[in-house]
Coordinates of all heavy atoms in Angstrom, one line a residue:
P247 N -55.9 11.1 12.5 CA -56.0 10.1 13.3 C -56.1 8.8 12.6 O -56.6 8.6 11.6 CB -57.3 10.5 14.1 CG -58.1 11.4 13.3 CD -57.0 12.1 12.4
F248 N -55.6 7.7 13.3 CA -55.7 6.3 12.7 C -57.1 5.9 12.9 O -57.6 5.2 11.9 CB -54.8 5.5 13.4 CG -54.6 4.2 12.8 CD1 -54.0 4.0 11.5 CD2 -55.0 3.0 13.6 CE1 -53.9 2.7 10.9 CE2 -54.9 1.8 13.0 CZ -54.2 1.6 11.6
V249 N -57.8 6.0 14.0 CA -59.1 5.8 14.3 C -59.8 6.8 15.1 O -59.2 7.4 15.9 CB -59.3 4.4 15.2 CG1 -60.5 4.2 15.5 CG2 -58.6 3.2 14.4
D250 N -61.0 7.1 14.6 CA -61.7 8.2 15.4 C -63.2 7.6 15.8 O -63.3 6.4 15.7 CB -61.9 9.4 14.6 CG -62.7 9.3 13.3 OD1 -63.4 8.3 13.2 OD2 -62.5 10.1 12.4
G251 N -64.0 8.4 16.2 CA -65.2 7.9 16.8 C -66.2 7.4 15.8 O -67.3 6.9 16.2
R252 N -66.0 7.4 14.5 CA -67.0 7.0 13.5 C -66.8 5.5 13.1 O -66.3 5.3 12.0 CB -66.9 7.9 12.3 CG -67.1 9.4 12.6 CD -66.7 10.2 11.5 NE -65.3 10.2 11.1 CZ -64.7 10.6 10.0 NH1 -65.4 11.1 9.0 NH2 -63.4 10.5 9.8
A253 N -67.1 4.7 14.0 CA -66.9 3.3 13.9 C -67.4 2.7 12.6 O -66.9 1.8 12.0 CB -67.3 2.5 15.0
E254 N -68.6 3.2 12.2 CA -69.3 2.6 11.0 C -68.4 2.9 9.7 O -68.8 2.1 8.8 CB -70.8 3.2 10.8 CG -70.8 4.7 10.6 CD -70.5 5.7 11.7 OE1 -70.3 5.2 12.8 OE2 -70.5 6.9 11.4
L255 N -67.6 3.7 9.7 CA -66.8 4.0 8.6 C -65.6 2.9 8.3 O -65.1 2.9 7.2 CB -66.2 5.5 8.6 CG -67.2 6.5 8.6 CD1 -66.3 7.9 8.7 CD2 -68.0 6.5 7.4
Y256 N -65.2 2.3 9.4 CA -64.0 1.4 9.2 C -64.3 0.0 8.9 O -63.6 -0.7 8.4 CB -63.3 1.6 10.6 CG -62.8 2.9 10.9 CD1 -63.5 3.8 11.8 CD2 -61.6 3.3 10.2 CE1 -62.9 5.1 12.0 CE2 -61.1 4.6 10.5 CZ -61.8 5.4 11.3 OH -61.3 6.7 11.6
G257 N -65.5 -0.5 9.3 CA -65.7 -2.0 9.2 C -65.3 -2.8 10.3 O -64.4 -2.4 11.0
N258 N -65.8 -3.9 10.4 CA -65.5 -5.0 11.3 C -64.1 -5.4 11.4 O -63.4 -5.5 12.4 CB -66.4 -6.1 11.4 CG -67.9 -5.7 11.8 OD1 -68.1 -4.7 12.6 ND2 -68.8 -6.5 11.5
D259 N -63.5 -5.7 10.3 CA -62.1 -6.2 10.2 C -61.1 -5.2 10.7 O -60.1 -5.5 11.5 CB -61.8 -6.6 8.7 CG -62.6 -8.0 8.3 OD1 -63.1 -8.6 9.1 OD2 -62.5 -8.1 7.0
F260 N -61.4 -3.9 10.3 CA -60.4 -3.0 10.7 C -60.6 -2.7 12.4 O -59.7 -2.6 13.0 CB -60.6 -1.6 9.9 CG -59.6 -0.6 10.3 CD1 -58.6 -0.5 9.4 CD2 -59.8 0.4 11.2 CE1 -57.6 0.5 9.7 CE2 -59.0 1.4 11.5 CZ -57.8 1.4 10.8
L261 N -61.8 -2.8 12.8 CA -62.0 -2.5 14.2 C -61.5 -3.6 14.9 O -61.0 -3.5 16.1 CB -63.5 -2.3 14.5 CG -64.0 -0.8 13.9 CD1 -65.5 -0.7 14.2 CD2 -63.3 0.2 14.4
D262 N -61.6 -4.8 14.5 CA -61.0 -6.1 15.1 C -59.5 -5.8 15.3 O -58.8 -6.1 16.3 CB -61.3 -7.3 14.5 CG -62.8 -7.8 14.6 OD1 -63.5 -7.2 15.5 OD2 -63.2 -8.6 13.8
R263 N -58.9 -5.4 14.1 CA -57.5 -5.2 14.1 C -57.1 -4.1 15.1 O -56.0 -4.2 15.9 CB -57.1 -4.7 12.7 CG -55.6 -4.4 12.5 CD -55.3 -4.0 11.1 NE -53.9 -4.0 10.8 CZ -53.3 -3.6 9.7 NH1 -54.2 -3.4 8.7 NH2 -52.1 -3.6 9.6
Y264 N -57.8 -3.1 15.2 CA -57.6 -1.9 16.2 C -57.6 -2.5 17.6 O -56.9 -2.2 18.4 CB -58.6 -0.8 15.9 CG -58.4 0.3 16.9 CD1 -57.3 1.1 16.9 CD2 -59.2 0.5 18.0 CE1 -57.1 2.2 17.7 CE2 -59.0 1.5 18.9 CZ -57.9 2.4 18.8 OH -57.8 3.4 19.8
G265 N -58.7 -3.4 17.8 CA -58.8 -3.9 19.2 C -57.5 -4.8 19.6 O -57.0 -4.6 20.7
R266 N -56.9 -5.5 18.5 CA -55.6 -6.2 18.9 C -54.6 -5.2 19.1 O -53.7 -5.4 20.1 CB -55.4 -7.2 17.7 CG -56.4 -8.3 17.5 CD -55.8 -9.3 16.5 NE -55.7 -8.9 15.2 CZ -56.9 -8.7 14.3 NH1 -58.0 -9.1 14.6 NH2 -56.6 -8.3 13.1
I267 N -54.5 -4.1 18.4 CA -53.6 -3.0 18.6 C -53.6 -2.4 20.1 O -52.6 -2.4 20.8 CB -53.6 -2.0 17.6 CG1 -53.1 -2.5 16.2 CG2 -52.7 -0.9 17.9 CD1 -53.5 -1.6 15.0
D268 N -54.9 -2.1 20.3 CA -55.2 -1.5 21.7 C -54.8 -2.4 22.8 O -54.5 -2.0 23.9 CB -56.6 -1.1 21.8 CG -57.0 -0.3 22.9 OD1 -56.3 0.7 23.2 OD2 -58.1 -0.4 23.6
A269 N -54.9 -3.8 22.5 CA -54.6 -4.8 23.5 C -53.1 -5.1 23.6 O -52.7 -5.8 24.4 CB -55.3 -6.1 23.3
G270 N -52.3 -4.3 22.8 CA -50.9 -4.4 22.9 C -50.3 -5.7 22.1 O -49.1 -5.9 22.2
D271 N -51.0 -6.2 21.1 CA -50.6 -7.4 20.4 C -49.4 -6.9 19.5 O -49.5 -6.1 18.5 CB -51.6 -7.8 19.4 CG -51.2 -9.0 18.5 OD1 -50.0 -9.0 18.0 OD2 -52.2 -10.0 18.4
P272 N -48.1 -7.4 19.9 CA -46.9 -7.0 19.2 C -46.8 -7.3 17.7 O -46.5 -6.4 16.9 CB -45.8 -7.7 20.0 CG -46.6 -8.8 20.6 CD -47.9 -8.4 20.9
T273 N -47.5 -8.5 17.3 CA -47.4 -8.7 15.9 C -48.3 -7.8 15.1 O -48.0 -7.3 13.9 CB -48.0 -10.2 15.6 OG1 -47.1 -11.1 16.3 CG2 -48.0 -10.6 14.1
E274 N -49.5 -7.5 15.6 CA -50.3 -6.5 14.9 C -49.9 -5.1 14.9 O -50.0 -4.4 13.9 CB -51.7 -6.5 15.7 CG -52.9 -5.9 14.8 CD -53.1 -6.7 13.4 OE1 -53.4 -7.8 13.5 OE2 -52.8 -6.1 12.4
I275 N -49.2 -4.8 15.9 CA -48.6 -3.4 16.1 C -47.4 -3.2 15.0 O -47.4 -2.3 14.3 CB -48.1 -3.2 17.4 CG1 -49.2 -2.8 18.4 CG2 -47.2 -1.9 17.6 CD1 -48.9 -2.7 19.8
D276 N -46.6 -4.3 15.0 CA -45.6 -4.3 13.9 C -46.1 -4.3 12.5 O -45.7 -3.4 11.6 CB -44.6 -5.4 14.1 CG -43.7 -5.3 15.4 OD1 -43.5 -4.3 15.9 OD2 -43.2 -6.4 15.9
R277 N -47.1 -5.1 12.3 CA -47.7 -5.1 11.0 C -48.3 -3.7 10.6 O -48.0 -3.4 9.4 CB -48.7 -6.0 10.8 CG -49.5 -6.3 9.5 CD -50.6 -7.4 9.7 NE -51.5 -6.8 8.9 CZ -52.8 -7.2 9.1 NH1 -53.1 -8.0 10.2 NH2 -53.9 -6.8 8.4
T278 N -48.9 -3.1 11.5 CA -49.5 -1.9 11.2 C -48.4 -0.7 11.0 O -48.7 0.2 10.1 CB -50.6 -1.5 12.3 OG1 -51.4 -2.5 12.4 CG2 -51.3 -0.2 12.1
L279 N -47.6 -0.8 11.8 CA -46.5 0.2 11.6 C -45.8 0.2 10.2 O -45.6 1.2 9.7 CB -45.3 0.1 12.8 CG -45.7 0.3 14.3 CD1 -44.6 -0.1 15.2 CD2 -46.1 1.9 14.5
R280 N -45.5 -1.0 9.8 CA -45.0 -1.2 8.4 C -45.9 -0.8 7.4 O -45.7 -0.1 6.5 CB -44.6 -2.6 8.3 CG -43.2 -3.0 8.9 CD -42.7 -4.4 8.5 NE -43.7 -5.4 8.6 CZ -44.0 -6.2 9.8 NH1 -43.4 -6.0 10.7 NH2 -44.8 -7.1 9.7
Q281 N -47.2 -1.2 7.6 CA -48.1 -1.1 6.4 C -48.6 0.4 6.2 O -48.5 0.9 5.0 CB -49.5 -1.8 6.7 CG -50.5 -1.6 5.7 CD -51.8 -2.2 6.0 OE1 -51.9 -3.0 7.0 NE2 -52.8 -2.0 5.1
W282 N -48.6 1.2 7.2 CA -48.9 2.5 7.2 C -47.9 3.5 7.3 O -48.0 4.6 7.4 CB -50.1 2.9 8.3 CG -51.3 2.1 8.0 CD1 -51.8 1.0 8.6 CD2 -52.3 2.3 7.1 NE1 -52.9 0.4 8.1 CE2 -53.4 1.3 7.1 CE3 -52.6 3.3 6.1 CZ2 -54.5 1.3 6.4 CZ3 -53.6 3.3 5.3 CH2 -54.7 2.3 5.4
D283 N -46.5 3.0 7.5 CA -45.4 3.7 7.6 C -45.5 4.8 8.7 O -45.3 6.0 8.6 CB -45.0 4.4 6.3 CG -43.6 5.0 6.4 OD1 -42.6 4.6 7.1 OD2 -43.3 6.0 5.6
I284 N -46.1 4.3 9.9 CA -46.3 5.3 11.0 C -45.1 5.6 11.7 O -44.2 5.0 12.0 CB -47.3 4.5 12.1 CG1 -48.6 4.3 11.4 CG2 -47.4 5.3 13.4 CD1 -49.6 3.2 12.2
A285 N -44.9 7.0 11.8 CA -43.6 7.7 12.3 C -43.9 8.2 13.7 O -42.8 8.5 14.3 CB -43.3 8.8 11.4
W286 N -45.2 8.5 14.1 CA -45.4 8.9 15.6 C -46.9 8.4 15.9 O -47.6 8.1 15.1 CB -45.2 10.4 15.6 CG -46.3 11.2 14.9 CD1 -46.2 11.5 13.6 CD2 -47.5 11.8 15.3 NE1 -47.3 12.3 13.1 CE2 -48.1 12.3 14.1 CE3 -48.1 11.7 16.6 CZ2 -49.2 13.0 14.2 CZ3 -49.3 12.2 16.8 CH2 -50.0 12.9 15.5
A287 N -46.9 8.5 17.3 CA -48.2 8.0 17.9 C -48.4 8.9 19.1 O -47.6 9.2 20.0 CB -48.2 6.5 18.2
L288 N -49.7 9.2 19.3 CA -50.3 9.9 20.5 C -51.1 8.9 21.2 O -52.1 8.5 20.7 CB -51.0 11.1 20.2 CG -51.9 11.9 21.1 CD1 -50.8 12.6 22.1 CD2 -52.8 12.9 20.6
L289 N -50.6 8.4 22.3 CA -51.2 7.3 23.0 C -51.5 7.6 24.6 O -50.8 8.5 25.1 CB -50.4 6.1 23.1 CG -50.0 5.6 21.7 CD1 -49.0 4.6 21.7 CD2 -51.4 4.8 21.1
D290 N -52.5 7.0 25.2 CA -52.8 7.2 26.6 C -51.5 6.5 27.4 O -51.0 5.6 27.0 CB -54.0 6.4 26.9 CG -54.4 6.5 28.3 OD1 -53.9 5.7 29.2 OD2 -55.3 7.3 28.6
P291 N -51.2 7.3 28.5 CA -50.0 6.9 29.2 C -50.1 5.4 29.8 O -49.1 4.8 29.8 CB -49.9 7.8 30.5 CG -50.6 9.0 29.9 CD -51.6 8.5 29.0
G292 N -51.3 5.0 30.0 CA -51.4 3.6 30.5 C -51.8 2.5 29.6 O -52.1 1.3 29.8
S293 N -51.7 2.9 28.2 CA -52.1 2.0 27.2 C -51.2 0.8 27.0 O -50.0 1.0 27.0 CB -52.5 2.7 25.9 OG -51.3 2.7 25.0
L294 N -51.8 -0.4 26.7 CA -50.9 -1.6 26.4 C -50.3 -1.4 25.0 O -49.1 -1.9 25.0 CB -52.0 -2.9 26.4 CG -52.6 -3.0 27.7 CD1 -53.6 -4.2 27.5 CD2 -51.5 -3.6 28.7
A295 N -50.8 -0.7 24.2 CA -50.2 -0.3 22.9 C -48.8 0.4 23.2 O -47.9 0.1 22.6 CB -51.1 0.3 21.9
L296 N -48.9 1.4 24.0 CA -47.7 2.3 24.5 C -46.7 1.4 24.9 O -45.5 1.5 24.5 CB -48.0 3.3 25.1 CG -47.0 4.1 25.8 CD1 -46.2 4.9 24.7 CD2 -47.3 5.2 26.8
A297 N -47.1 0.4 25.9 CA -46.1 -0.4 26.5 C -45.4 -1.3 25.6 O -44.1 -1.5 25.6 CB -46.9 -1.3 27.5
T298 N -46.2 -1.9 24.5 CA -45.5 -2.6 23.5 C -44.7 -1.9 22.5 O -43.5 -2.2 22.2 CB -46.6 -3.4 22.7 OG1 -47.4 -4.3 23.6 CG2 -46.1 -4.3 21.6
L299 N -45.1 -0.8 22.2 CA -44.4 0.1 21.2 C -43.1 0.6 21.8 O -42.1 0.6 21.2 CB -45.2 1.3 20.8 CG -44.7 2.2 19.7 CD1 -44.3 1.4 18.4 CD2 -45.7 3.2 19.3
E300 N -43.1 0.9 23.1 CA -41.9 1.4 23.7 C -40.7 0.3 23.8 O -39.6 0.6 24.1 CB -42.2 2.0 25.0 CG -43.0 3.4 24.8 CD -43.0 4.1 26.2 OE1 -43.4 3.5 27.2 OE2 -42.7 5.3 26.2
K301 N -41.2 -1.0 23.8 CA -40.2 -2.1 23.6 C -39.5 -2.2 22.4 O -38.6 -2.9 22.2 CB -40.9 -3.3 24.1 CG -41.3 -3.3 25.7 CD -42.2 -4.5 25.8 CE -42.7 -4.5 27.3 NZ -43.5 -5.7 27.6
R302 N -40.0 -1.5 21.4 CA -39.5 -1.7 19.9 C -38.2 -0.9 19.8 O -38.3 0.2 20.3 CB -40.6 -1.3 18.9 CG -41.7 -2.1 18.9 CD -41.4 -3.5 18.2 NE -42.5 -4.5 18.3 CZ -42.6 -5.3 19.4 NH1 -41.9 -5.3 20.3 NH2 -43.6 -6.2 19.3
P303 N -37.2 -1.4 19.2 CA -36.1 -0.5 19.1 C -36.3 0.5 18.0 O -37.3 0.3 17.1 CB -35.0 -1.5 18.4 CG -35.9 -2.7 18.0 CD -37.1 -2.8 18.7
G304 N -35.8 1.7 18.1 CA -36.1 2.8 17.1 C -37.2 3.7 17.4 O -37.6 4.5 16.6
W305 N -37.7 3.6 18.7 CA -38.9 4.4 19.1 C -38.5 5.1 20.4 O -37.8 4.6 21.2 CB -40.1 3.5 19.3 CG -40.7 3.3 18.0 CD1 -40.4 2.2 17.4 CD2 -41.7 4.0 17.4 NE1 -41.3 2.1 16.2 CE2 -42.0 3.2 16.1 CE3 -42.4 5.1 17.5 CZ2 -43.0 3.5 15.3 CZ3 -43.4 5.4 16.6 CH2 -43.6 4.8 15.5
Q306 N -38.8 6.4 20.5 CA -38.5 7.2 21.7 C -39.6 7.9 22.1 O -40.4 8.5 21.1 CB -37.1 7.8 21.5 CG -37.3 9.0 20.5 CD -36.1 9.8 20.3 OE1 -35.6 10.4 21.3 NE2 -35.4 9.6 19.2
R307 N -39.8 8.4 23.3 CA -40.8 9.4 23.8 C -40.4 10.7 23.5 O -39.3 11.2 23.7 CB -40.9 9.3 25.4 CG -41.6 8.2 25.8 CD -41.9 8.2 27.4 NE -42.6 7.0 27.7 CZ -43.3 7.0 28.8 NH1 -43.4 8.1 29.7 NH2 -44.0 5.9 29.2
L308 N -41.3 11.5 22.9 CA -41.0 12.9 22.5 C -41.6 13.8 23.6 O -41.1 14.9 23.8 CB -41.5 13.2 21.1 CG -41.4 14.6 20.6 CD1 -39.9 14.9 20.3 CD2 -42.1 14.8 19.4
H309 N -42.7 13.5 24.1 CA -43.6 14.2 25.1 C -44.2 13.3 25.9 O -44.9 12.4 25.6 CB -44.6 15.2 24.2 CG -45.6 15.9 25.2 ND1 -45.1 17.0 25.8 CD2 -46.8 15.6 25.5 CE1 -46.2 17.5 26.5 NE2 -47.2 16.5 26.4
V310 N -44.4 13.9 27.1 CA -45.3 13.0 28.2 C -45.9 14.1 29.1 O -45.4 15.0 29.5 CB -44.3 12.1 29.1 CG1 -45.1 11.4 30.2 CG2 -43.5 11.1 28.3
D311 N -47.2 13.8 29.3 CA -47.9 14.6 30.4 C -49.0 13.7 31.0 O -48.9 12.5 30.7 CB -48.5 16.0 29.8 CG -49.5 15.7 28.8 OD1 -50.4 14.8 28.7 OD2 -49.7 16.6 27.9
G312 N -49.9 14.2 31.8 CA -50.7 13.4 32.4 C -51.8 12.8 31.5 O -52.5 11.9 31.8
E313 N -52.0 13.3 30.3 CA -53.0 12.8 29.5 C -52.5 12.0 28.3 O -53.2 11.2 27.7 CB -53.7 14.2 28.9 CG -54.4 15.1 29.9 CD -55.5 14.4 30.6 OE1 -56.3 13.7 29.9 OE2 -55.5 14.6 31.8
A314 N -51.2 12.3 27.9 CA -50.9 11.6 26.6 C -49.4 11.4 26.7 O -48.5 12.1 27.3 CB -51.3 12.3 25.5
V315 N -48.9 10.5 25.8 CA -47.5 10.2 25.5 C -47.4 10.3 24.0 O -48.1 9.6 23.3 CB -47.0 8.8 26.0 CG1 -45.5 8.7 25.7 CG2 -47.2 8.9 27.6
V316 N -46.5 11.1 23.5 CA -46.2 11.1 22.0 C -44.9 10.3 22.0 O -43.8 10.6 22.6 CB -45.9 12.5 21.5 CG1 -45.6 12.3 20.1 CG2 -47.2 13.3 21.8
V317 N -44.9 9.2 21.0 CA -43.6 8.6 20.8 C -43.5 8.7 19.2 O -44.3 8.7 18.5 CB -43.8 7.0 21.1 CG1 -43.8 6.8 22.6 CG2 -45.0 6.4 20.4
V318 N -42.1 8.7 19.0 CA -41.8 8.9 17.4 C -40.6 7.9 17.1 O -39.9 7.4 18.0 CB -41.2 10.3 17.2 CG1 -42.3 11.4 17.3 CG2 -40.0 10.7 18.1
R319 N -40.5 7.4 15.9 CA -39.5 6.8 15.4 C -38.2 7.6 15.4 O -38.3 8.8 15.2 CB -39.8 6.4 13.9 CG -40.6 5.2 13.6 CD -40.6 4.6 12.2 NE -40.3 5.6 11.2 CZ -40.9 5.8 10.2 NH1 -42.0 5.2 9.9 NH2 -40.5 6.8 9.3
D320 N -37.1 7.0 15.7 CA -35.9 7.7 15.8 C -35.7 8.6 14.6 O -35.2 9.7 14.6 CB -34.7 6.7 15.9 CG -34.7 6.2 17.4 OD1 -35.4 6.7 18.3 OD2 -34.1 5.2 17.6
D321 N -35.9 8.0 13.2 CA -35.7 8.7 12.2 C -36.6 9.9 12.0 O -36.4 10.8 11.1 CB -35.6 7.9 10.9 CG -37.0 7.1 10.7 OD1 -37.8 7.1 11.6 OD2 -37.1 6.7 9.6
A322 N -37.8 9.9 12.6 CA -38.7 10.9 12.5 C -38.5 12.0 13.7 O -38.9 13.2 13.6 CB -40.2 10.4 12.7
A323 N -37.8 11.7 14.7 CA -37.6 12.5 15.9 C -36.8 13.8 15.5 O -37.2 14.9 16.0 CB -36.8 11.8 17.0
R324 N -35.8 13.7 14.7 CA -35.1 14.9 14.2 C -36.1 15.8 13.6 O -35.6 17.0 13.6 CB -33.9 14.5 13.3 CG -34.2 14.0 12.2 CD -32.8 13.6 11.3 NE -33.1 12.8 10.2 CZ -33.4 13.4 9.0 NH1 -33.4 14.6 8.9 NH2 -33.7 12.6 8.0
C325 N -37.0 15.4 12.7 CA -37.9 16.3 12.2 C -38.7 17.1 13.2 O -39.2 18.2 13.0 CB -38.9 15.5 11.3 SG -38.0 14.7 9.9
A326 N -39.1 16.6 14.3 CA -39.9 17.2 15.3 C -39.0 18.3 15.9 O -39.6 19.1 16.6 CB -40.2 16.1 16.4
E327 N -37.7 18.4 15.9 CA -36.8 19.3 16.5 C -36.8 20.6 15.6 O -36.3 21.5 16.1 CB -35.4 18.7 16.6 CG -35.4 17.6 17.5 CD -34.0 16.9 17.5 OE1 -33.2 17.3 16.8 OE2 -33.9 15.9 18.3
G328 N -37.5 20.5 14.6 CA -37.4 21.7 13.7 C -37.4 21.3 12.2 O -37.3 20.2 11.9
P329 N -37.7 22.3 11.3 CA -37.7 22.1 9.9 C -36.5 21.5 9.3 O -35.4 22.0 9.8 CB -38.2 23.4 9.2 CG -37.7 24.4 10.3 CD -37.8 23.8 11.7
L330 N -36.5 20.7 8.4 CA -35.3 20.2 7.8 C -34.9 21.3 6.7 O -35.6 22.1 6.3 CB -35.5 19.0 6.9 CG -36.0 17.7 7.7 CD1 -36.5 16.6 6.8 CD2 -34.8 17.2 8.5
P331 N -33.5 21.4 6.5 CA -33.0 22.3 5.5 C -33.6 22.1 4.2 O -33.8 21.0 3.7 CB -31.5 22.2 5.6 CG -31.3 20.9 6.3 CD -32.5 20.6 7.1
M332 N -33.9 23.1 3.4 CA -34.4 23.1 2.1 C -33.3 22.7 1.2 O -32.1 23.1 1.3 CB -35.1 24.4 1.6 CG -36.2 24.9 2.4 SD -37.6 23.9 2.3 CE -37.9 24.4 0.5
K333 N -33.6 21.9 0.2 CA -32.6 21.4 -0.8 C -32.8 22.4 -1.9 O -33.8 22.9 -2.3 CB -33.0 20.1 -1.4 CG -32.8 18.8 -0.4 CD -33.1 17.6 -1.0 CE -32.9 16.4 -0.1 NZ -33.2 15.2 -0.7
P334 N -31.7 22.8 -2.4 CA -31.6 23.6 -3.6 C -32.4 23.1 -4.9 O -32.4 21.9 -5.1 CB -30.2 24.0 -3.9 CG -29.4 22.9 -3.1 CD -30.3 22.3 -2.2
G335 N -33.1 23.9 -5.5 CA -33.7 23.4 -6.7 C -32.9 23.0 -7.8 O -31.7 23.2 -7.7
P336 N -33.4 22.3 -8.9 CA -32.6 21.9 -10.0 C -31.9 23.0 -10.6 O -32.3 24.2 -10.8 CB -33.6 21.1 -10.9 CG -35.0 21.3 -10.4 CD -34.8 22.0 -9.0

């Protein structure tokens, strides 16, 4: 998880950043996606972060139900379809 319930471990700056992500701030979302090389996310169907992320090119829904939406980067979606073939060793 990017953030869990242990707020005291993250510090105020990180939690402020998370608040901006949760509010759907496109600049903060883009910065975070790049910094952490995030390839997928599990979000609440009504979240502002989801609404912002789905407007980004290169992202698609992988799963939707009443509780959550899973979105993945296009380059990561093929990995969700099954294991990648093994490369032969040297």
